[in-house]
Amino acid sequence: MRAALADRNARRYLSAVVVSGFGTMAMSLVAGIWVKSLTGSDSLAGLASFCFWAPTAAGPVLGAVTDVLGPRPVLVWTNVVMGAALCLLFLVRSPAQVWLLFAVLLLYGVSFVVLDAAEAAVLPAAVPETLLAEVNGLRMSASEGTRLAAPLLGAGLFAAAGGDAVVALDAATFAAGAWLLGTLRLPAASARRARVTRGWVARTAEGARFLFRDPLLRRLVLSGAALMLVSGVNGAIVFAVVDHGLHREPAFTGVLSAVQGGGTVLGGLIAGPLLRRAGEARLSAAGGLLFAVSVALRAVPWEPVVTAASLLSGLGLPWVLVAAFTAVQRIAPRDLLATVSATANSVLFVPTAVGMALGAGLLALTSYRPVLYAAAIAGALAVACGVCPGRPRSDGARRSPAATTSSRSPDAGR
């Protein structure tokens, strides 16, 4: 971890994650509050969050476009464009302009996907391969840290100074992110934009084929997707756990969320060292098993056990995600990395929304405990499927020749 923080590119990248992530998380909550204050509608306020996450389903296509345009310029210019687009929200003054807020939020959601894909493509060239696991783990911890603090501060700023103040803050964080990411030092071969020989349609299909044909990536991503589906069910049931199981007020979910966030910060910090020792498949299995156990423990109607379950949930899930995305960065060819990463992102995160809807539907049919037990069993089965290899292979480094020649040595680009 000290080596990761000592690396100039890693420091700048993580600083950009913290700065830009702070503004994003602040806006993610304030957007719903803003819509609610303008329209008085709960459904429209919920639609604001939908706009943030809906473009995740288009991840494979957006990743292919990122590869065609070049990850480095996309990384910088997406931050610049989003900072400028946010300034349109200064025009929102009444319910008549709320459509403008939704339009910007939808663009915001697109930028989420594009920036994740571009970062995944640039990062393996920016830092040594030996630091990828640590940087990915620290990124998870940094993102969760901003998720814990930024929404509360954003809501306070909105209450004190209105939406314009939050917009100005978020636009400034995008500008800072563009500068930090633009100063990453890349090897000359990685900094040059490769000649485009395939369009985005062909790249989209090729990225999906690569992801699902590689035995390790297929296992990690499909097992992770099943676990994220379970996490959606688990999240949908939290209010029933607090109400019927613990007999507490709904606000107690905030305590459980904070405990889970603390577990995520810790899980991200130790994911890198664990991955080096265990490999991606074993780390993913260990994280998935911890998460499955945490889901079962939530059915116990005792506050200390449910609180411990939240901690285990936050600890285990980051290992599943760090393992999957580090494997993608290590294995996928550099000229296809944004596409493969965005495809993996969609496969992993779209099931979360499906799980939330499924959990809500199951609660209408039965009590929360059978749902949690069934979800825990499903999570354990997902882990079992993830550790069964399709073809014998090790977790050792394996790259295409193109990927190997463009990888960054420890001293390159400094």
Side-chain angles (χ1 to χ4, degrees), residues 18-44:
V18 172
V19 171
S20 184
F22 185 89
T24 296
M25 288 302 105
M27 180 59 73
S28 67
L29 177 63
V30 166
I33 299 173
W34 199 348
V35 172
K36 171 70 173 177
S37 66
L38 286 172
T39 66
S41 171
D42 291 327
S43 60
L44 288 178

Side-chain angles (χ1 to χ4, degrees), residues 20 27 31 91 160 220 243 260 329 367:
S20 184
M27 180 59 73
L91 301 175
L220 291 175
D243 183 12
Q260 183 171 332
Q329 292 167 348
S367 68

Side-chain angles (χ1 to χ4, degrees), residues 261-336:
T264 301
V265 172
L266 177 60
L269 290 174
I270 64 179
L274 289 176
L275 192 148
R276 283 203 315 274
R277 290 169 173 79
E280 289 104 343
R282 292 188 185 92
L283 180 66
S284 179
L289 188 59
L290 275 180
F291 174 66
V293 170
S294 77
V295 174
L297 289 177
R298 268 198 167 177
V300 178
W302 191 30
E303 193 173 304
V305 174
V306 173
T307 304
S310 295
L311 181 65
L312 289 178
S313 176
L315 186 66
L317 272 181
W319 297 353
V320 175
L321 299 176
V322 169
F325 286 117
T326 301
V328 167
Q329 292 167 348
R330 183 173 60 80
I331 294 173
R334 291 290 179 260
D335 67 334
L336 201 63

Side-chain angles (χ1 to χ4, degrees), residues 16 19 31 47 92 98 144 162 198 212 214-215 238 256 304 365 383 385 390 410:
V19 171
L47 187 60
V92 177
V98 75
E144 189 60 33
R198 291 160 292 176
F212 291 111
D214 184 273
V238 64
L256 297 180
L365 302 175
V383 172
C385 292

Side-chain angles (χ1 to χ4, degrees), residues 148 242 248 250-262 303 307 310:
L148 290 174
V242 170
R248 297 290 300 265
F252 189 70
T253 58
V255 176
L256 297 180
S257 178
V259 171
Q260 183 171 332
E303 193 173 304
T307 304
S310 295

Side-chain angles (χ1 to χ4, degrees), residues 101-385:
L101 185 56
F102 284 120
V104 172
L105 291 177
L106 190 61
L107 183 61
Y108 214 132
V110 172
S111 76
F112 268 178
V113 181
V114 170
L115 286 173
D116 277 347
E119 287 175 11
V122 167
L123 192 58
V127 303
E129 183 182 336
T130 54
L131 297 181
L132 271 180
E134 275 77 7
V135 173
N136 282 326
L138 288 170
R139 181 189 188 280
M140 183 77 67
S141 296
S143 296
E144 189 60 33
T146 60
R147 191 183 300 273
L148 290 174
L152 180 61
L153 294 175
L157 183 60
F158 180 84
D164 287 356
V166 182
V167 170
L169 171 66
D170 199 11
T173 62
F174 270 114
W179 178 78
L180 287 166
L181 294 169
T183 58
L184 293 178
R185 295 174 183 170
L186 302 181
S190 296
R192 289 194 299 268
R193 181 180 167 187
R195 185 170 63 90
V196 176
T197 58
R198 291 160 292 176
W200 63 267
V201 176
R203 283 178 176 272
T204 301
E206 187 176 353
R209 283 196 299 269
F210 185 92
L211 181 68
F212 291 111
R213 284 180 178 175
D214 184 273
L216 178 61
L217 295 184
R218 183 174 63 248
R219 287 158 49 202
L220 291 175
V221 171
L222 292 181
S223 174
L227 288 166
M228 295 304 289
L229 177 71
V230 173
S231 78
V233 174
N234 188 48
I237 291 175
V238 64
F239 287 103
V241 170
V242 170
D243 183 12
H244 302 295
L246 303 181
H247 305 291
R248 297 290 300 265
E249 294 296 321
F252 189 70
T253 58
V255 176
L256 297 180
S257 178
V259 171
Q260 183 171 332
T264 301
V265 172
L266 177 60
L269 290 174
I270 64 179
L274 289 176
L275 192 148
R276 283 203 315 274
R277 290 169 173 79
E280 289 104 343
R282 292 188 185 92
L283 180 66
S284 179
L289 188 59
L290 275 180
F291 174 66
V293 170
S294 77
V295 174
L297 289 177
R298 268 198 167 177
V300 178
W302 191 30
E303 193 173 304
V305 174
V306 173
T307 304
S310 295
L311 181 65
L312 289 178
S313 176
L315 186 66
L317 272 181
W319 297 353
V320 175
L321 299 176
V322 169
F325 286 117
T326 301
V328 167
Q329 292 167 348
R330 183 173 60 80
I331 294 173
R334 291 290 179 260
D335 67 334
L336 201 63
L337 185 48
T339 307
V340 177
S341 177
T343 303
N345 196 67
S346 293
V347 174
L348 283 167
F349 289 110
V350 168
T352 305
V354 177
M356 289 180 178
L358 178 61
L362 290 173
L363 279 179
L365 302 175
T366 183
S367 68
Y368 76 93
R369 285 194 182 91
V371 177
L372 285 175
Y373 289 137
I377 293 171
L381 289 175
V383 172
C385 292

